[in-house]
Amino acid sequence: MTEAWTYKTSFSIFKRAVEKHHLLENGEKVLIGVSGGVDSMVLLHLLHSFNQRRHKNWDLLAVHIDPGFPKWHTQRLIKFFEALNIKYLISKINVPNKFVEITKAGEHINPCFFCSRERRKRMFELAEANGIKKIALAHHLEDVNETFFLNLLYVSKAKTFAPKQDFFQAQYHIIRPLYYFDKELILKYAKIYGLPIIKNKCPYEKESERNRIRALLSKFYTKNPRVKTNIFWGIKNAGLDFLPLKSSSNKKVYKKNGEKYNVLASVSQ
């Protein structure tokens, strides 16, 4: 695959997500969450490039949340923001101290979930302070698959990310322009443009359930590459008529011996 193919495919898929799901309108403000990893760097670069080439007049604000872990570096990120001439904010929180406090208080919570929640909370605060309603995150196709299985296995819910999700009575919207990208395309795009990748070490990384799910799914992807997209599209093609759904409106009720008999409920018991 050539550089021209990667460039054309990336812009086409990006455009599809933005337009199909109405992620951003002309002239809108958007806060972009940038961790420094390859996904968020590609997201920022694509938003910036698409904005310039298509004259969208988007008002971009790159935001990096420093979680307060030891040896956390931000200088290369700052140089990248300034090279693109993009407005940016570096906001520091103290995840380690907060995690110790809630643990001492007797609250049991996954450290990765807690860190993610604290960073997300700060992004909403910064969005509010800057009059921004849209927050762009770099979740992609594999993230959608992993989140589905994380929720299914650990929360007993069949749910995952959507390209656009409302929060706080639709006061804010999280958008995911890389929704249809797989990791392979993201890595190729980053290589073509020589994007700097900042690898800050997370002390909770080895404890991540997401990493365990990712490793498991990767085995299936390696054995049969179609599994990746089959899961992704299969989530959208759920056969609801063959699932014991919670909502009574989706259940077929028959009478048996003069009493109402719920077929789906019976099968699920």
Side-chain angles (χ1 to χ4, degrees), residues 172-239:
Y172 298 98
H173 307 273
I174 284 185
I175 61 173
R176 299 180 172 93
L178 300 186
Y179 195 77
Y180 298 109
F181 280 67
D182 66 8
K183 192 73 171 187
E184 184 180 0
L185 182 58
I186 288 172
L187 291 171
K188 286 178 179 177
Y189 185 95
K191 184 178 180 180
I192 284 175
Y193 288 97
L195 303 183
I197 310 303
I198 291 83
K199 294 183 179 180
N200 283 310
K201 187 171 178 59
C202 170
Y204 304 136
E205 188 173 5
K206 291 182 179 180
E207 302 175 32
S208 170
E209 296 296 347
R210 180 175 290 277
N211 282 346
R212 295 187 181 98
I213 294 293
R214 182 173 298 153
L216 177 63
L217 290 177
S218 292
K219 292 178 182 179
F220 289 99
Y221 299 161
T222 301
K223 190 173 182 179
N224 183 350
R226 290 186 61 186
V227 169
K228 185 189 301 183
T229 50
N230 283 349
I231 294 172
F232 181 78
W233 293 112
I235 292 169
K236 305 175 194 311
N237 297 326

Side-chain angles (χ1 to χ4, degrees), residues 144-162 165 234-240 243-246:
V144 173
N145 292 354
E146 291 161 14
T147 301
F148 177 79
F149 281 101
L150 276 169
N151 281 312
L152 187 64
L153 295 177
Y154 298 106
V155 192
S156 301
K157 290 186 177 179
K159 66 176 185 177
T160 188
F161 299 131
Q165 289 177 297
I235 292 169
K236 305 175 194 311
N237 297 326
L240 300 183
L243 291 174
L245 300 177
K246 204 172 183 180

Side-chain angles (χ1 to χ4, degrees), residues 61-78:
L61 175 64
V63 168
H64 175 75
I65 308 298
D66 179 345
F69 296 139
K71 299 180 180 179
W72 198 265
H73 305 291
T74 59
Q75 287 305 310
R76 289 182 67 202
L77 259 181
I78 292 172

Side-chain angles (χ1 to χ4, degrees), residues 24 27 33 47 69 78 94 106 113 150 162 168 221 268:
L24 282 171
L47 279 166
F69 296 139
I78 292 172
N94 199 326
F113 174 80
L150 276 169
F168 308 114
Y221 299 161
S268 65

Side-chain angles (χ1 to χ4, degrees), residues 10 25 58 62 72 78 113 115 124 139 146 156 237 258 269:
S10 298
E25 303 301 332
W58 293 333
W72 198 265
I78 292 172
F113 174 80
C115 181
F124 278 120
H139 297 128
E146 291 161 14
S156 301
N237 297 326
Q269 290 174 353

